[in-house]
Amino acid sequence: MLGRPGWSRATRSIHTRILVSYIVLIVLSGGLCAVAIHEVLMIRLESRIAEAVQQEFLEIDRLVTDGRDPRTGAAFTSVAAVFDVYFRRNVPSQEEAILAFADGRLQHASMGRFPVDRVPDSAMQVFATSARTYTVTDGRPPLDRFDTSRGSAYYGILPLRVGASTGAFVVTILPVAQRREIADLQRYAVGAVLGVVVLASACAWLVTGRVLGPVRQLTETARLISKSDLTRRIPVARQDEAAEMARTFNAMLDRLEAVFRREREFLLDAGHELRGPITISLGNLGLLQQQLPDDDEARGTIAVVTDELERMARIVGDLHILADVPHPHFLQPERIDLELFVAELAVKLSALAPRQWLVDELGEGLLVADRHRLTEAVINLADNAVRHTADTDTVSIGAAVRGEDVHIWVRDTGCGIEYDDQPYIFDRFRRGARAHLRYPGTGLGLAIVRAVAQAHGGRVDLSSRPGVGSTFTLVIPRQGREGELGQDTDR
């Protein structure tokens, strides 16, 4: 069962499809050639049989045309006399039988070299009556067949007349040996086709592998890019269409890397430049608040400004995190004991706000992941749950190993999320339609959660019903992407 996805993917690959098409073409070509060769050989066989039959007909026809017995010089007076002379002077060839019928009766039968002992009665009846029913056109009698225990036999009938007597001269050939040779040739041809298929398949596999090499490199590079590495490039060592495709792709990567680098540098520079003024402003506001007299209005204004500056500081921090996501060293994976990790998270989360904090399941086993980033993501989920719940609501955390993934979830019994907001809840600076009425925020917390999950090669699942509550689930591969830190984690 585990091998099916990989096998299905292999059968759908271009490499496999080209190879299969090539093999099918070779098999069809070989099959058509074998059929064509068989037909040609059978036509040539029938042609040789017809020539052999015609040769016998010419010999007896010369006797009838000459009209005299070569030994006595006397004229032939009957068909039977012609047959007597012929059978004394001629012996059938291999796999050939000669029969002579005079006035409807069998007079001579030379079957010593014929592959079967007797001719079927139905054929003998046809031969006996053939002197009256057969006609010769263009001096060449037609070939017919009759069935025997060793295959079909070919025969030709030459009607004869000498004086008042009539007869039929029959030559029949059963080409057992020649058919065996054709069958052997067919078997050799099938073996040759199979050998050609195997050899050509191996050559086609190597050739298509070399041709599709740049495509595989492009695919691998694209896969690595999807894992936040824009430094990879496809090596170009040839001058063909594939090399031109690789160069075009590399140029596109250069442009993308430049854009992402400028975006990250801008976010980092902006955050760095903003942190100083924000810190100075917060410090001066604190000093000003201490020096002011008991002026409630002024203190209220200072509190509002301080709150906004602190919110701005959180935005700057969140932007720093999002800017670091594409960096190859964003994650620092390590082996994490899942049960201990969830227990530590439960202690940390319970300090966020007074709620009914529960642990659904601790989970068991090891997880390869970045402990700090996962903690940050789960705290963001818990903070989001706190904002959507009251003091009497329940917020729970849990984890479980399911197949090759680890599921870590935060569940609450709060107000839930409107169905219209759910498709966009993880977008940057996107908040629910009524979120601004319930709590202040930047709209970056869930975007960070999704970025952390994707950086681990996972995802975030949401299940929520308005008025019932929400469940956010981090789905993370147990081994990390590309099996980080090796493949030796135990269940």
Side-chain angles (χ1 to χ4, degrees):
M1 295 295 292
L2 294 176
R4 286 186 178 180
W7 174 255
S8 177
R9 186 162 50 251
T11 56
R12 293 195 304 268
S13 68
I14 297 177
H15 198 173
T16 303
R17 284 184 290 179
I18 292 176
L19 181 63
V20 170
S21 302
Y22 193 69
I23 293 174
V24 169
L25 182 60
I26 294 175
V27 171
L28 287 178
S29 301
L32 291 175
C33 289
V35 172
I37 292 173
H38 180 268
E39 292 301 318
V40 169
L41 292 176
M42 292 303 296
I43 292 172
R44 293 186 62 182
L45 173 63
E46 292 181 0
S47 178
R48 289 195 298 271
I49 291 173
E51 291 175 358
V53 171
Q54 185 67 16
Q55 179 65 32
E56 301 294 344
F57 285 173
L58 290 175
E59 291 183 16
I60 196 167
D61 188 62
R62 280 195 295 268
L63 286 175
V64 174
T65 302
D66 183 63
R68 295 179 181 277
D69 189 333
R71 295 179 303 166
T72 64
F76 289 121
T77 58
S78 65
V79 172
V82 176
F83 288 154
D84 290 340
V85 173
Y86 179 87
F87 278 89
R88 281 197 301 270
R89 297 172 57 185
N90 291 276
V91 177
S93 301
Q94 186 68 28
E95 300 182 330
E96 182 179 86
I98 301 176
L99 300 94
F101 292 84
D103 297 321
R105 295 187 302 275
L106 179 65
Q107 182 179 355
H108 291 281
S110 181
M111 298 183 60
R113 309 185 76 178
F114 201 59
V116 295
D117 297 332
R118 58 186 300 274
V119 176
D121 294 338
S122 58
M124 293 294 288
Q125 184 177 359
V126 172
F127 299 159
T129 60
S130 60
R132 299 188 302 273
T133 59
Y134 265 65
T135 59
V136 178
T137 59
D138 300 329
R140 192 180 184 90
L143 285 181
D144 288 319
R145 301 183 189 184
F146 63 87
D147 293 329
T148 70
S149 59
R150 303 189 68 178
S152 296
Y154 297 87
Y155 69 89
I157 301 175
L158 179 64
L160 298 174
R161 177 180 291 274
V162 176
S165 67
T166 60
F169 182 74
V170 181
V171 179
T172 178
I173 298 176
L174 180 56
V176 174
Q178 296 184 64
R179 283 179 176 154
R180 186 184 303 116
E181 291 176 358
I182 293 176
D184 291 340
L185 183 61
Q186 288 292 105
R187 284 193 291 271
Y188 297 149
V190 171
V193 169
L194 293 177
V196 169
V197 167
V198 173
L199 180 61
S201 299
C203 295
W205 182 263
L206 295 176
V207 171
T208 54
R210 289 179 60 86
V211 172
L212 295 175
V215 177
R216 287 196 301 270
Q217 289 179 334
L218 189 150
T219 303
E220 182 62 24
T221 303
R223 183 180 296 116
L224 293 173
I225 289 169
S226 67
K227 298 173 183 178
S228 303
D229 186 0
L230 288 172
T231 62
R232 299 299 182 100
R233 295 294 183 272
I234 301 175
V236 180
R238 296 182 295 179
Q239 297 294 329
D240 54 15
E241 291 82 357
E244 181 63 26
M245 177 185 65
R247 280 192 290 269
T248 304
F249 189 75
N250 288 341
M252 181 191 69
L253 291 182
D254 291 338
R255 294 191 296 271
L256 286 175
E257 184 180 11
V259 170
F260 279 104
R261 185 172 58 250
R262 286 196 297 269
E263 179 185 2
R264 182 172 181 271
E265 289 174 353
F266 170 77
L267 290 175
L268 293 176
D269 291 344
H272 178 73
E273 294 297 327
L274 288 174
R275 278 183 174 176
I278 291 173
T279 303
I280 294 173
S281 298
L282 287 173
N284 287 322
L285 285 174
L287 292 175
L288 182 60
Q289 190 173 22
Q290 295 176 2
Q291 296 173 2
L292 283 175
D294 295 335
D295 187 339
D296 293 338
E297 183 178 355
R299 290 181 180 275
T301 302
I302 291 175
V304 171
V305 174
T306 301
D307 184 67
E308 289 301 310
L309 287 173
E310 290 175 347
R311 189 168 70 89
M312 186 180 296
R314 287 195 299 272
I315 292 175
V316 170
D318 291 344
L319 289 176
H320 263 272
I321 294 174
L322 292 174
D324 283 336
V325 169
H327 196 274
H329 301 296
F330 174 70
L331 298 181
Q332 300 296 325
E334 59 181 289
R335 292 187 179 87
I336 301 173
D337 185 303
L338 187 59
E339 184 176 3
L340 181 60
F341 178 63
V342 174
E344 293 174 352
L345 285 176
V347 174
K348 294 177 181 179
L349 299 184
S350 61
L352 291 177
R355 297 290 188 272
Q356 299 294 324
W357 293 97
L358 298 176
V359 176
D360 291 336
E361 187 176 351
L362 287 174
E364 295 181 358
L366 296 178
L367 167 66
V368 177
D370 188 314
R371 177 188 296 270
H372 172 71
R373 297 300 184 188
L374 277 187
T375 301
E376 188 175 30
V378 174
I379 289 177
N380 273 340
L381 291 178
D383 183 66
N384 184 73
V386 167
R387 295 173 185 272
H388 286 80
T389 54
D391 294 351
T392 56
D393 286 324
T394 298
V395 180
S396 62
I397 183 176
V401 176
R402 295 173 183 172
E404 296 299 319
D405 296 328
V406 171
H407 291 233
I408 303 174
W409 64 86
V410 174
R411 177 178 58 86
D412 67 72
T413 58
C415 62
I417 301 171
E418 297 294 334
Y419 292 118
D420 292 340
D421 292 333
Q422 292 183 19
Y424 315 104
I425 199 68
F426 295 102
D427 293 348
R428 296 181 183 182
F429 299 105
R430 189 68 177 260
R431 303 173 64 197
R434 299 183 180 180
H436 66 285
L437 301 177
R438 299 180 57 86
Y439 62 88
T442 65
L444 291 175
L446 294 180
I448 292 174
V449 173
R450 182 175 65 176
V452 170
Q454 291 177 346
H456 282 87
R459 67 182 188 275
V460 185
D461 293 338
L462 168 63
S463 175
S464 180
R465 292 177 58 189
V468 177
S470 304
T471 301
F472 289 85
T473 305
L474 284 165
V475 182
I476 306 296
R478 288 190 64 200
Q479 301 294 338
R481 294 193 314 193
E482 304 298 329
E484 290 159 327
L485 295 183
Q487 303 290 335
D488 59 343
T489 49
D490 301 324
R491 290 185 180 275

